[in-house]
Amino acid sequence: MSPAVNAPSGDAPPGAALAGDARSRLLAAAVEAFAAKGFHGTTTRDIAAAAGMSPAALYVHHRSKEELLHAISSEGHRRTLALCEEAVRSEGSHAARLDRLVAAFARHHAVNHTSARVVNYELAALSEAHRAEIEEQRRRIEHVVRDLLVAGVEAGEFQTPDPVMTAAALLSLGVDVARWYRTGAGWTPEQLAEHYVVLARRMAGVVDDRPA
């Protein structure tokens, strides 16, 4: 499995902090184009036009379309890892930290569903070196969730028979939000986050099922 994310419509474009306005516009335009047409169906001309720039201007900031995808993917995974680490560093029981992690993860993939689709479903288009880098980020995210589940079982707070498999299932569940979620088409990100916490507690076998 593997997870991660992002930033979409309505959010700061991924990488907005990486450089000036022109580069941010290119990243935002690439997210929308890749999400709509896929990496291979998108041309550099499509991206430049959506950003209000000439195709030549794109190469001032990025050497290739693949480099744009790498920037988007790297920033998306960095943000996802940061929110996971913040949740498990917080105070409280293992169950309370699981609640915060799952809520943040699901909400993140709902709010950022456009770029999350690009980040999670266009990995095959990355170069070998860039994909290896992203896969390492994904492993770090997986380890954060897995270690929390294992620690919860060891502490007697969780009763899942296979915490590693449960961690993979929880991540898959959260990542898949980006595939089907659409803003304004049903549940809010907060409603989704609350429901996913309920599902996660059952999957982890939280011993005391009162709100943590």
Side-chain angles (χ1 to χ4, degrees):
M1 173 281 95
S2 285
V5 225
N6 352 35
S9 342
D11 225 41
L18 296 181
D21 183 64
R23 191 176 182 196
S24 297
R25 279 161 46 208
L26 284 168
L27 287 168
V31 164
E32 296 296 334
F34 292 155
K37 298 183 176 182
F39 177 83
H40 294 294
T42 299
T43 66
T44 53
R45 185 174 296 274
D46 293 332
I47 297 169
M53 301 167 68
S54 69
L58 183 151
Y59 293 105
V60 173
H61 302 280
H62 298 279
R63 289 173 295 182
S64 67
K65 186 174 66 167
E66 189 275 341
E67 190 178 88
L68 265 169
L69 177 62
H70 172 248
I72 293 164
S73 190
S74 180
E75 176 67 2
H77 282 87
R78 184 197 65 75
R79 293 175 63 192
T80 303
L81 176 61
L83 72 85
C84 290
E85 290 178 333
E86 181 179 1
V88 298
R89 279 198 306 264
S90 58
E91 296 182 358
S93 64
H94 292 91
R97 282 178 276 169
L98 179 67
D99 289 352
R100 285 189 282 269
L101 188 153
V102 170
F105 197 81
R107 187 186 303 110
H108 180 62
H109 283 79
V111 171
N112 299 307
H113 60 89
T114 303
S115 58
R117 290 199 304 279
V118 175
V119 166
N120 289 289
Y121 298 116
E122 294 289 351
L123 289 173
L126 291 169
S127 69
E128 185 175 344
H130 283 161
R131 183 165 185 179
E133 175 192 316
I134 298 303
E135 290 293 351
E136 175 57 27
Q137 288 180 296
R138 293 169 81 87
R139 280 190 289 272
R140 290 177 65 189
I141 294 167
E142 290 168 359
H143 288 168
V144 169
V145 181
R146 181 198 65 191
D147 292 349
L148 175 61
L149 268 289
V150 169
V153 169
E154 292 175 348
E157 291 187 39
F158 303 153
Q159 290 186 331
T160 177
D162 192 329
V164 174
M165 189 182 299
T166 300
L170 286 172
L171 285 167
S172 296
L173 191 67
V175 166
D176 200 50
V177 168
R179 180 184 58 81
W180 58 264
Y181 188 85
R182 295 297 179 272
T183 304
W187 306 293
T188 66
E190 196 55 47
Q191 288 172 323
L192 193 70
E194 290 175 3
H195 187 65
Y196 271 45
V197 166
V198 174
L199 297 179
R201 282 178 150 254
R202 291 175 180 173
M203 292 168 68
V206 174
V207 175
D208 181 358
D209 205 29
R210 293 173 300 178

